[in-house]
């Protein structure tokens, strides 16, 4: 009986505690802590753009970068292997800052003090316009430039490269050929040609290839490019892949800036649980 009385007393105390006050909205975004792990996954929008770096010349980008997240800002890390967390464009544009653009508090200013509504934000170091054709979920491939504002972009509609698949996108001027074998001995080999990339056509069936099979299926492949000097195909990579229902493997072929031949760069596109 005493325990029951104590529980009733605790409940009464909790009921009397004031709710956490919410500050009034401001036209200027306030800083948000960088999300990582589960917290970042929960905060990420279900639709929008994810970013990944493809840099044949090895040019790097500032890290971390900052983007808008609703009425706030958050840091975002962009790598070359897996896409970043999803970002929601504002007016069809994603802006990037190399420092937190939210107004900083003056020395001695209380944390509850709000920045002035007319405070101006610094200019972003570069911005990305998201085309309407990108779809509700897309991956933006960033090709860094030494002048960061000249960073080039290319969008992949995630719906065109579904999970549980192995894909090849030819962004080079070299015709490609891929030979696959589902029995892994190449007695059942299948040859497919992958055309060159033309900016006016973008990424299309002529310059891309996909293999969609069953979960856990292992497939051997040989990827080659056509060499004009020898008038034959030269191997880029020979290996095997295992299909996963949780992610797709996208292999991007670009021109090696140090040699007159293609270079293979791979990214893994997995769907976050919160995307579903």
């Amino acid at each position: 009986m005493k325990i029951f009385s104590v529980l009733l007393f605790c409940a009464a105390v909790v009921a009397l505690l004031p709710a956490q006050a919410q500050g009034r909205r401001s036209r200027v975004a306030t800083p948000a802590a960088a999300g990582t792990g589960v917290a970042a996954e929960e905060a990420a929008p279900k639709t929008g753009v994810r970013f990944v770096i493809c840099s044949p010349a090895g040019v790097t980008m500032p890290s971390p970068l900052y983007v808008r997240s609703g009425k706030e800002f958050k840091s975002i890390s962009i790598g070359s292997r897996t896409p970043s967390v999803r970002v929601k464009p504002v007016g069809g544009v994603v802006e990037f800052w190399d420092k937190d653009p939210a107004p900083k508090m003056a020395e001695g200013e209380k944390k509850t003090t709000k920045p002035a509504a007319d405070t101006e934000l610094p200019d972003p170091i570069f911005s990305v316009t998201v085309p309407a054709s990108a779809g509700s979920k897309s991956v933006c491939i960033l090709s860094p430039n030494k002048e960061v504002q000249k960073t080039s972009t290319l969008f992949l509609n995630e719906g065109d490269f579904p999970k549980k698949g192995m894909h090849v996108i030819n962004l080079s001027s070299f015709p490609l050929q891929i030979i696959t074998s589902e029995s892994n001995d190449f007695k059942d080999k299948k040859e497919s040609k992958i055309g060159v990339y033309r900016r006016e056509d973008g990424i299309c069936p002529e310059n891309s290839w996909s293999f969609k099979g069953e979960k856990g299926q292992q497939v051997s492949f040989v990827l080659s490019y056509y060499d004009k000097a020898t008038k034959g195909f030269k191997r880029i990579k020979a290996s095997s892949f295992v299909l996963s229902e949780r992610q797709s493997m996208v292999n991007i072929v670009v021109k090696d800036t140090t040699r007159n031949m293609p270079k293979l760069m791979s990214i893994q596109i997995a769907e976050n649980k919160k995307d579903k």
Side-chain angles (χ1 to χ4, degrees), residues 38 41-46 137 271-276:
V38 176
E41 186 175 311
E42 291 177 350
K46 294 182 179 181
K137 295 180 181 180
E271 189 168 28
N272 292 331
K273 293 179 181 179
K274 293 296 179 180
D275 282 350
K276 299 177 180 179

Side-chain angles (χ1 to χ4, degrees), residues 32-217:
T36 57
V38 176
E41 186 175 311
E42 291 177 350
K46 294 182 179 181
T47 60
V49 187
R50 292 190 282 178
F51 295 88
V52 67
I53 294 174
C54 179
S55 181
V59 179
T60 59
M61 296 191 70
S63 180
L65 291 166
Y66 292 84
V67 295
R68 292 182 185 271
S69 177
K71 295 293 183 179
E72 302 178 330
F73 294 96
K74 69 177 180 181
S75 66
I76 179 174
S77 295
I78 305 176
S80 59
R81 185 67 178 173
T82 56
S84 68
V85 295
R86 216 175 283 283
V87 179
K88 196 82 169 178
V90 179
V93 177
V94 178
E95 295 176 316
F96 292 89
W97 289 266
D98 58 351
K99 295 180 179 63
D100 189 345
K104 300 297 186 295
M105 293 182 296
E107 186 176 352
E109 188 176 11
K110 295 181 179 180
K111 291 184 179 181
T112 55
T113 303
K114 300 296 179 183
D118 58 352
T119 301
E120 293 185 3
L121 296 174
D123 292 333
I125 60 171
F126 76 100
S127 60
V128 172
T129 299
V130 182
S133 59
S136 60
K137 295 180 181 180
S138 61
V139 173
C140 177
I141 300 173
L142 298 174
S143 295
N145 190 291
K146 290 182 179 179
E147 298 180 53
V148 68
Q149 66 273 18
K150 294 182 179 180
T151 296
S152 61
T153 62
L154 187 66
F155 283 84
L156 306 181
N157 187 328
E158 292 184 31
D160 296 335
F161 300 92
K163 308 299 175 291
K164 198 177 64 176
M166 195 271 205
H167 314 276
V168 177
I169 301 174
N170 187 11
L171 299 183
S172 76
S173 58
F174 297 91
L176 305 178
Q177 172 184 269
I178 186 166
I179 301 175
T180 58
S181 171
E182 296 181 45
S183 63
N184 298 318
D185 58 10
F186 287 93
K187 292 181 180 179
D188 61 340
K189 69 177 183 179
K190 294 180 181 178
E191 295 184 6
S192 300
K193 296 293 192 294
I194 308 173
V196 301
Y197 176 76
R198 294 183 175 84
R199 182 168 288 274
E200 61 270 21
D201 297 330
I203 297 174
C204 60
E206 282 68 35
N207 53 40
S208 61
W209 171 91
S210 294
F211 186 97
K212 307 162 193 172
E214 301 298 327
K215 173 187 174 183
Q217 183 179 4

Side-chain angles (χ1 to χ4, degrees), residues 172 174 225 234-236 253-263:
S172 76
F174 297 91
Y225 74 98
K234 285 188 175 181
R235 181 179 300 182
I236 300 175
V253 179
V254 296
K255 182 179 180 180
D256 191 327
T257 56
T258 62
R259 298 178 294 173
N260 187 32
M261 64 177 295
K263 183 176 183 179

